[in-house]
Amino acid sequence: MSRQVFLYDPPERFVAGTVGLPGRRTFFLQATAGNRTTSVALEKAQVEALAERIDELLDEVVRRSGGNAPVPAVAPSEVDDTGPLSSPVEEEFRVGTMALAWDGDGDRMVVEAQALVELEADSDEDLADAEERLLQDDEHGPPMLRVRISGTMARAFAKRALAIVHAGRPPCPLCSLPLDPEGHVCPRQNGYRRGE
């Protein structure tokens, strides 16, 4: 069976978003073009890492071009996308591996999110070989979401993604773990539950 690639070149919309209440949220990447929408699930830490890495890569593109690249230093407010995910949110797959690249010829950021795959190996060397094969663009590889977006759209994606990550439960001022509405068992307070 050949690999399923959900390609958006370019998408009309590419955002990170959540479904559910803080503490029980599921994070998604969602790409939309015309009447086609693809949603892939991932972890909060993956969203944060992707957004931070996008900003770092865009900063490097600007630096290397001497400021001549078509990449804004910050996301322009007119491209802010604060809308909810397009409904219904139907998970195509759970993300395992992600990759970023800058296409200098097309002045586009390429974002790839590949389905989570369980690797089995007898040794560390076999595991390294399996991981290397997984990262190659194999026609029989796991499903993948691939989007090509402008520098402006990439900045807007990163800004929204970081805002969503930080919009969850507030941290405990003592231990920095998330506070639950039902209370919090703080390790710095010997595990005593703090009330509302």
Side-chain angles (χ1 to χ4, degrees):
M1 185 172 157
S2 64
R3 166 182 245 168
Q4 186 174 16
V5 177
F6 300 92
L7 177 63
Y8 290 83
D9 186 12
E12 292 167 9
R13 184 177 193 226
F14 179 57
V15 296
T18 62
V19 173
L21 298 172
R24 294 174 184 86
R25 298 184 296 172
T26 302
F27 288 78
F28 289 93
L29 298 180
Q30 190 176 74
T32 305
N35 60 358
R36 187 170 68 111
T37 298
T38 302
S39 303
V40 296
L42 68 171
E43 299 298 322
K44 177 180 180 178
Q46 289 175 296
V47 174
E48 184 173 30
L50 178 61
E52 289 172 352
R53 186 65 187 111
I54 284 174
D55 272 339
E56 290 170 7
L57 183 56
L58 291 174
D59 290 345
E60 183 66 14
V61 167
V62 170
R63 188 188 68 73
R64 287 188 180 191
S65 72
N68 294 324
V71 176
V74 296
S77 60
E78 62 269 9
V79 296
D80 279 353
D81 184 342
T82 57
L85 293 174
S86 299
S87 292
V89 178
E90 296 174 359
E91 178 183 323
E92 294 293 339
F93 58 83
R94 178 156 288 281
V95 175
T97 306
M98 295 184 292
L100 288 177
W102 179 258
D103 174 7
D105 295 334
D107 288 328
R108 293 280 185 253
M109 169 85 55
V110 180
V111 180
E112 293 181 348
Q114 186 169 275
L116 180 64
V117 174
E118 294 296 325
L119 297 177
E120 293 182 23
D122 295 330
S123 69
D124 288 343
E125 190 174 301
D126 290 343
L127 184 59
D129 289 343
E131 288 173 345
E132 182 64 31
R133 283 192 310 277
L134 183 62
L135 293 173
Q136 295 173 356
D137 206 3
D138 181 11
E139 68 179 49
H140 300 292
M144 175 189 295
L145 170 64
R146 180 180 292 148
V147 297
R148 294 174 47 84
I149 54 178
S150 68
T152 301
M153 189 177 221
R155 284 283 190 211
F157 171 89
K159 178 181 176 184
R160 173 188 167 120
L162 288 173
I164 286 171
V165 164
H166 298 299
R169 298 172 290 169
C172 171
L174 298 174
C175 69
S176 299
L177 292 173
L179 292 171
D180 287 319
E182 300 86 32
H184 171 63
V185 178
C186 181
R188 301 235 8 233
Q189 293 291 318
N190 295 325
Y192 290 110
R193 184 176 288 277
R194 295 176 59 188
E196 292 82 61

